[in-house]
């Protein structure tokens, strides 16, 4: 450590040199190749080429103590020569690329083809056009002008396709842009501590330059490559680069290489930055990967590119550690496919699509058959060659009608609604201090059933103050008077606290007059330093006398030790070690204690037990954290073996025990009450003493006195969940977690075990959806395992943020409640949209289908259908997906994973409104001309002008949709559909806007929209029928859902269909075709087994002479169910295969599944 003095000389020297403006002593390439070496190779290379790390600092014109001078010209020059610490993101997709992607949609392709064929045929005038012998269906005089207008239909279809494509592309583009904005925000917020001109400053990561002296500490994600110059006990997790899960110990003489993208797991120190941005190890990998990394990044949506791509991509390169790569891939897959909503939606869309296809095929077949039979059989017309083009034109018209039916049936608006809803929520959640990193986390949160929360900083303010102390045999209930403490004890106490804490922890003067002093760094240490200040002492002189470089050895705090110790060399060459940590742990290692006179006296185990009873437990029951401060002297000769920790950390002398208060945040109890009302169980997982934890849990309202609940310590928890062999058993966890409310003194693995145990539990009929909050590096695994991981934005380490889905920018528990509200709102918005969309779909399909079959021509033309599609899909998804959430969302229990997307109430609304709309439309279609005294529009010849009759039908249809959109705002059968409508300006704008455009289309749309202008009284009738929707909505709301038993089946079918496939194939990632075939084999085999089983059952029943009726009844119920299940092949296939994949579950599955899945 002595050579530090020389560095002052170097730094003076360096200033002279830099004034000459000389270049740096090493090039970027040299440094880059140096950083590619590891361990001893690197040490040798440094020795041979440079001498030592000091010399490298000299060449880079920096001082290990003072850092860079920090002048702008110097920094700019460094950026020019060595590059900036910035990895350029991949280019976003251009708008045209997105348009091209949107065009890949199957329905749109079918439409485009139909439109092009239609256009082509309209320009082709065959010779036999006016031949009287051709088809009769064309009867009726046709002007020349009308025939010319045949191209309009095709053109209009193309136009609406272009509309849909542009809307989709624009939506994708804005989503991408939003995501980039979010990403750059996260990157700007990421700061790092460096030393410049002797001052410790925090600068954005992108500002770091080569030659900077960076301070690194526990929990950091290293932002650049560098060489370790000084520090203690530094351990790094390099798994993101090497795939090795073991932590690597760094030291100046053995392995000084620190690489960007790796995590500091223990210790602290300083490094000199040698490579930044694209020249750092992560940057090199990025450039190597090029496209690969981008793909991964897109899939993973990692908010900080560094770690994401490096972790994902490094393993295939160094595939010696293949196992790890698979795990990582799996973890990310898990993140990607987990959303409950998406699973249900995909299922639903596929079902609707299939139904639509069938309907459209039937429509086309019926139209073609009717035409041919009518023309060639009934009217006995011969097929003349010159008439062929005319017939073809008819067939094309039929095909277009068929496609129209399909287009209306498929809800293309669904993906749009989901995206808009999520994007809107994410944007608004930023205002509620939730920074969402994975879009689907937002919606998963609405299904959360359990929250495992940290205590410190989340439930409490994380502002620690010492409020009680036990010094010199006296228990002080408030901070003692300095004069009452012996001078020797006082000196020891101040030194122990000032030296044995991170030097980055400080207490600064308040920013505003009258505010509290600012606490910087570790909050517990801030509390202790505050105690020193309260005792009218000062810690600064102690620290300046004993700077960080002179500390002889530091045992940093980690979750295993639960204590921190620092060794210093005394003036007489002997050593002294200061220790502090959790009182029950440190006291066990004490064998002396300072008396009132400041002299050490013997401290026996029974004294310790008495102290625990009289001092520590009372403090803990007041909700205080107890910390014990102790010391120990060592002789200089022989020097102790510092690596033998157990011997070193024993025979301590206790200086004092302090009780630190961390007050509960004022808004937390209310937030927790809301959670409990919303059916979410809050559990507290903390490293604190059990009494402290219980006291805080009562203050927060997590537990109420007199309830039946469990508070366990980590050790006890482990004892209860492990069997004799020490393995964790799910059944044992199931006995504990439902009642567990507080887990104290828990290690990070306990937290992970608990989360995994709750998620994997089959104890409840719904699988639990668990959210977890965490701030420390060690919370990473639990955050990753949870369905939604919340990291703390202020106190959280980079590692925790990296593993999380949502970052709480204000570290506050009540923001989690907001996230739940938004999550439920997303789900409800999409249900609202579905309820509206499906009503329109059902009506439009049936109208188009029956109309086409009875009158050979759909009453709603292709272009009109597409306009309806546009208002339904795009605008309705905007209007209904942007409803703001209300507190009432928190009054119901979570939906859970198995609840169907379309509840019975919604099914009632959909079918009810469909009945109303169909009745009116068919009335208008068949007797409308009499009601309004106008010409009938039925059986009009090809290319005839639009009729008023059909325009009224179209207009009424749209009016009914508009008013039904207001009905769709409520999905739980509420009466007041206007409730809060003005809180959503988007909704009002869209409804009025659609109405305005509809007027324009009807009055001025003319030929392209197949509309003829209507009179005022006709308009009034259309609007009146539309308004009827609102009245009818009230009628439907009056019918009790429970009476409509038949709807239940409709709901239940979707329930089975919609258990999202991922839930069933949590372990089976993507099922490929080969596997699918294999599955099929398995199922046949399974069904065979079932048959045999049922037969055996029947035989047994006969044998035992028991009720043979019962067996038959059972058999018949099974068979009847099998008919329902016939169309559910895919989910049942997956669930069966799951039963097969775990051998243990075979016998019960064989017995249980036939009942549920049915026999073939």
């Amino acid at each position: 450590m002595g050579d530090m003095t020389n560095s002052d000389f170097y730094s003076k020297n360096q200033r002279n040199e830099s004034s000459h403006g000389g270049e740096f002593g090493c090039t970027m390439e040299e440094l880059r190749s140096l950083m590619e070496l590891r361990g001893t190779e690197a040490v040798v290379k440094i020795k041979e080429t440079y001498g030592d790390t000091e010399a490298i600092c000299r060449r880079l014109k920096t001082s290990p103590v003072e850092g860079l001078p920090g002048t702008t010209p110097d920094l700019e020059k460094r950026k020019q020569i060595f590059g900036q610490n910035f990895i350029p993101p991949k280019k976003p997709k251009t708008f045209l690329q997105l348009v091209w992607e949107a065009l890949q949609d199957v329905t749109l392709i079918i439409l485009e083809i139909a439109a092009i064929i239609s256009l082509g045929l309209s320009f082709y005038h065959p010779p036999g056009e006016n031949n009287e012998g051709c088809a009769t269906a064309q009867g009726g005089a046709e002007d020349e002008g009308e025939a010319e207008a045949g191209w309009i239909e095709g053109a209009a279809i193309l136009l609406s396709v272009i509309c849909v494509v542009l809307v989709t592309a624009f939506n994708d583009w804005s989503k991408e842009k939003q995501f980039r904005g979010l990403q750059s925000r996260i990157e700007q917020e990421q700061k790092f501590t460096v030393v410049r001109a002797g001052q410790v400053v925090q600068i954005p990561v992108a500002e770091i330059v080569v030659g900077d002296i960076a301070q690194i500490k526990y929990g950091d994600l290293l932002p650049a490559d560098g060489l370790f110059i000084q520090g203690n006990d530094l351990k790094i997790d390099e798994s993101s680069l090497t795939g090795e899960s073991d932590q690597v110990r760094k030291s100046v003489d053995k392995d000084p290489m620190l690489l960007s993208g790796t995590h500091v797991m223990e210790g602290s120190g300083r490094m000199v930055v040698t490579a930044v941005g694209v020249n750092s190890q992560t940057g090199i990998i990025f450039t190597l990967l090029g496209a690969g990394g981008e793909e991964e990044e897109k899939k993973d949506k990692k908010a900080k590119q560094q770690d994401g791509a490096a972790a994902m991509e490094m393993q295939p390169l160094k595939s010696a550690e293949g196992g790890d790569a698979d795990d990582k891939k799996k973890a990310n897959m898990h993140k990607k496919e987990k959303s409950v909503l998406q699973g249900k939606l995909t299922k639903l869309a596929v079902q609707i699509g299939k139904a639509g296809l069938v309907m459209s095929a039937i429509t086309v077949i019926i139209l073609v058959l009717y035409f041919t039979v009518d023309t060639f059989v009934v009217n006995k017309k011969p097929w003349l060659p010159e008439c062929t083009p005319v017939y073809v034109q008819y067939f094309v018209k039929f095909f277009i009608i068929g496609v129209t039916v399909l287009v209306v049936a498929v809800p293309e608006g669904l993906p749009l609604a989901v995206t808009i809803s999520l994007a809107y929520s994410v944007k608004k959640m930023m205002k509620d201090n939730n920074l969402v990193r994975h879009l689907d986390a937002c919606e998963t949160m609405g299904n959360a059933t359990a929250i495992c929360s940290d205590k410190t900083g989340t439930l409490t303010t994380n502002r620690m103050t010492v409020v009680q102390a036990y010094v010199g045999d006296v228990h002080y209930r408030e901070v003692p008077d300095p004069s009452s403490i012996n001078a020797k004890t006082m000196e020891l106490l101040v030194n122990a606290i000032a030296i044995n804490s991170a030097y980055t922890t400080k207490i600064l003067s308040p920013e505003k007059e009258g505010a509290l002093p600012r606490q910087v760094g570790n909050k517990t240490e801030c509390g202790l330093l505050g105690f020193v200040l309260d005792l009218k002492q000062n810690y600064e002189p102690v620290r300046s006398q004993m700077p960080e470089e002179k500390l002889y050895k530091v045992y940093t705090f980690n979750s295993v030790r639960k204590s921190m110790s620092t060794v210093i060399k005394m003036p007489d060459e002997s050593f002294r070690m200061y220790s502090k940590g959790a009182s029950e742990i440190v006291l066990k290692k004490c064998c002396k204690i300072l008396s009132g006179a400041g002299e050490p006296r013997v401290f026996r185990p029974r004294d310790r037990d008495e102290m625990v009873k009289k001092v520590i437990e009372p403090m803990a029951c007041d909700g205080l954290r107890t910390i014990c401060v102790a010391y120990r002297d060592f002789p200089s000769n022989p020097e102790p073996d510092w690596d033998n920790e157990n011997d070193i950390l024993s025979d301590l002398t206790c200086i004092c025990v302090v009780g630190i208060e961390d007050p509960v945040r004022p808004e937390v109890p209310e937030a927790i009450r809301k959670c409990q009302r919303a059916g979410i169980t809050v559990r507290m997982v903390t490293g604190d003493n059990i009494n402290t934890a219980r006291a805080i849990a009562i203050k927060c309202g997590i537990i109420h006195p007199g309830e039946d609940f469990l508070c366990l310590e980590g050790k006890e928890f482990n004892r209860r969940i492990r069997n004799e062999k020490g393995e964790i058993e799910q059944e044992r966890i199931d006995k504990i977690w439902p009642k567990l409310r507080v887990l104290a003194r828990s290690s990070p693995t306990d937290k992970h075990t608990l989360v995994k145990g709750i998620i994997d539990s089959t104890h409840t009929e719904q699988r639990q959806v668990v959210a977890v909050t965490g701030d420390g590096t060690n919370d990473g695994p639990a955050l990753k395992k949870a369905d939604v991981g919340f990291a703390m934005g202020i106190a959280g380490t980079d590692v925790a943020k990296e593993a999380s889905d949502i970052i709480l920018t204000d570290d506050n528990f009540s923001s989690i409640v907001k996230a739940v509200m938004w999550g439920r709102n997303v789900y409800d918005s999409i249900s609202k949209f579905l309820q509206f969309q499906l009503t329109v779909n059902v009506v439009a399909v049936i109208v188009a289908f029956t109309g086409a079959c009875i009158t050979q021509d759909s009453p709603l033309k292709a272009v009109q259908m597409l306009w309806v599609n546009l208002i339904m899909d795009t605008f309705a998804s905007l209007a209904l997906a942007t409803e703001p959430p209300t507190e009432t969302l928190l009054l119901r229990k979570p939906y859970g994973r198995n609840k169907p997307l379309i509840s019975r109430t919604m099914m009632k609304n959909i079918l009810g409104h469909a009945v109303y709309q169909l009745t009116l439309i068919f009335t208008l279609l068949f007797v409308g001309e009499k009601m309004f005294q106008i010409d009938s529009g039925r059986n009009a010849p090809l290319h005839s002008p639009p009729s008023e009759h059909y325009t009224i039908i179209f207009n009424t249809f749209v009016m009914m949709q508009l008013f039904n959109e207001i009905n769709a705002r409520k999905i739980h059968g509420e009466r007041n559909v206007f409730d809060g409508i003005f809180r959503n300006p988007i909704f009002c704008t869209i409804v009025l806007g659609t109405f305005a455009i509809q007027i324009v289309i009807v009055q001025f749309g003319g030929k392209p929209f197949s509309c003829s202008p209507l009179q005022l009284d006709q308009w009034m009738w259309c609007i009146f029928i539309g308004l009827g929707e609102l009245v009818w909505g009230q009628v439907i709301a009056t019918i009790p859902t429970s009476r409509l038993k038949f709807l239940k089946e409709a709901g239940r079918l979707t329930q089975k269909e919609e258990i999202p496939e991922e839930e069933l194939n949590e372990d089976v990632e993507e099922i490929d075709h080969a596997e699918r075939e294999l599955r099929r084999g398995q199922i046949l085999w399974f069904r065979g087994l079932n048959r045999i089983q049922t037969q055996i059952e029947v035989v047994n029943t006969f044998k035992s002479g028991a009720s043979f009726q019962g067996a038959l009844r059972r058999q018949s119920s099974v068979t009847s169910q099998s008919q329902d299940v016939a169309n559910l092949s895919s989910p049942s296939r997956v669930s069966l295969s799951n039963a097969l994949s775990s051998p243990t579950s075979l016998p019960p599955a064989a017995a249980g599944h036939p009942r549920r899945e049915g026999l073939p």
Side-chain angles (χ1 to χ4, degrees), residues 669 672-673 676 697-698 700-709 741:
I672 287 183
R673 206 165 56 247
Q676 288 163 343
I698 290 174
C700 294
I702 291 178
I703 51 184
H704 303 287
E707 276 184 359
D708 178 21
F709 55 78
R741 290 293 175 275

Side-chain angles (χ1 to χ4, degrees), residues 145-146 163 211-212 283 362 410 611 663 705 845 855 884 898 937 995 997 1001:
E146 289 301 340
C163 265
D212 256 324
I362 296 176
V410 175
M611 185 157 167
V845 169
T855 63
N898 310 7
F995 186 65
I997 301 174
I1001 287 178

